[in-house]
Amino acid sequence: QKEVEQNSGPLSVPEGAIASLNCTYSDRGSQSFFWYRQYSGKSPELIMSIYSNGDKEDGRFTAQLNKASQYVSLLIRDSQPSDSATYLCAVKPGRRALTFGSGTRLQVQP
Amino acid sequence: NAGVTQTPKFQVLKTGQSMTLQCAQDMNHNSMYWYRQDPGMGLRLIYYSASEGTTDKGEVPNGYNVSRLNKREFSLRLESAAPSQTSVYFCASIPSSVYTEAFFGQGTRLTVV
C-alpha cells in the first residue's frame, strides 16, 4: 500500500462547477497535510495546508481533513480553465519526510 | 530573496557519466529534500537531510549520493548515470517545524542517453 494515494484522473469538470479531489494516507501518526498545484513543466506550488479535522477555506479552495478515516480532500468552487493542472496531495508524518501522492490531473472545460 | 535555487536547469548526460546537481536555499531552513518526478509518478523522495550533518535515504535512493555541505547547500550526485535516471529533479527546503510547507526549486530536467 502506498503511503499517499490519489486517483490519477483526469478529472474533467465544466467551467463554473465544483471540482472535488481526494487523497488517502496510511500513517495514522501524520500531522500535516498539504495540497500543491503543479502546472506542466513547473514546480509545485502550495495552495492549501490543513492540520486539524474539519474544513479550511481560502477563497475558492476548501480543504477537508478526516483523521479517523485518513482522508483529505480539496474542493475547488467556480472552477476556471486556469485551474487545469495536476494537484498533488502531500502528507508529513511527524518528523518523517514529506511524502507525496502521484497527483490528480484536473481539466476544466470552457 | 531567491528562495531555493537549483543548478543546472537542463542537462544531457551519456550513460556512465557522473554529475552533481546543486541546491541552495537562503531561508535558513533546517531540512532539505531531493525528489524525482517521472510522468504519472508524482514526487518520489530520493534523499533528505533533516538538519545539517545528517542525511537519510528516501523511497528511491539507489544510484544516488548526497552531501549536506552546510545549512544552505544540499547536493545530489549521480556517480554513473543510467537511462532510468532520466527525470525531473526537484530540491525542496522545509523549516524544522512540523507545521510548515515545503519550498521548491525550479527543477532540473535531466536526460541520460
Side-chain angles (χ1 to χ4, degrees):
Chain A
Q1 181 189 9
K2 291 191 68 175
E3 285 199 62
V4 181
E5 300 215 44
Q6 298 181 251
N7 189 322
S8 61
L11 173 66
S12 185
V13 300
E15 184 174 356
I18 295 175
S20 177
L21 303 157
N22 304 312
C23 171
T24 58
Y25 61 95
S26 61
D27 190 328
R28 285 195 172 273
S30 300
Q31 300 178 40
S32 309
F33 307 86
F34 307 93
W35 283 100
Y36 286 81
R37 178 176 61 199
Q38 187 178 29
Y39 293 113
S40 181
K42 301 295 186 182
S43 304
E45 57 177 327
L46 182 75
I47 52 172
M48 290 291 287
S49 60
I50 188 166
Y51 308 112
S52 54
N53 280 330
D55 295 358
K56 179 181 177 182
E57 186 175 318
D58 184 0
R60 296 187 296 112
F61 299 97
T62 299
Q64 299 174 315
L65 174 61
N66 184 325
K67 289 186 177 180
S69 300
Q70 296 173 245
Y71 178 91
V72 192
S73 65
L74 179 70
L75 300 178
I76 306 175
R77 290 181 299 281
D78 188 23
S79 295
Q80 301 297 309
S82 59
D83 294 326
S84 297
T86 295
Y87 289 80
L88 299 165
C89 173
V91 176
K92 194 168 190 306
R95 293 191 177 275
R96 288 173 49 219
L98 184 65
T99 302
F100 285 81
S102 57
T104 299
R105 190 157 59 94
L106 174 65
Q107 296 175 339
V108 181
Q109 307 294 336
Chain B
N1 187 356
V4 180
T5 303
Q6 288 183 237
T7 54
K9 289 187 175 61
F10 301 94
Q11 184 71 49
V12 178
L13 288 179
K14 293 182 178 179
T15 297
Q17 287 185 318
S18 63
M19 79 161 295
T20 300
L21 281 65
Q22 306 286 354
C23 177
Q25 52 95 4
D26 60 4
M27 297 175 284
N28 202 36
H29 290 171
N30 283 329
S31 300
M32 297 184 74
Y33 290 62
W34 277 105
Y35 293 93
R36 62 177 287 174
Q37 186 173 36
D38 303 301
M41 298 293 287
L43 292 164
R44 292 188 292 169
L45 184 66
I46 305 171
Y47 272 93
Y48 68 104
S49 172
S51 61
E52 188 178 355
T54 68
T55 60
D56 287 287
K57 294 179 180 179
E59 181 186 356
V60 288
N62 291 343
Y64 305 95
N65 286 302
V66 290
S67 295
R68 184 74 184 268
L69 303 170
N70 47 55
K71 193 170 186 179
R72 290 187 64 249
E73 299 172 286
F74 188 39
S75 63
L76 178 71
R77 183 161 179 83
L78 287 70
E79 292 291 351
S80 179
S84 60
Q85 294 178 304
T86 294
S87 190
V88 180
Y89 291 84
F90 288 102
C91 176
S93 72
I94 302 178
S96 58
S97 169
V98 170
Y99 300 104
T100 52
E101 74 274 17
F103 296 80
F104 283 88
Q106 72 272 43
T108 296
R109 188 173 295 273
L110 175 67
T111 301
V112 183
V113 299

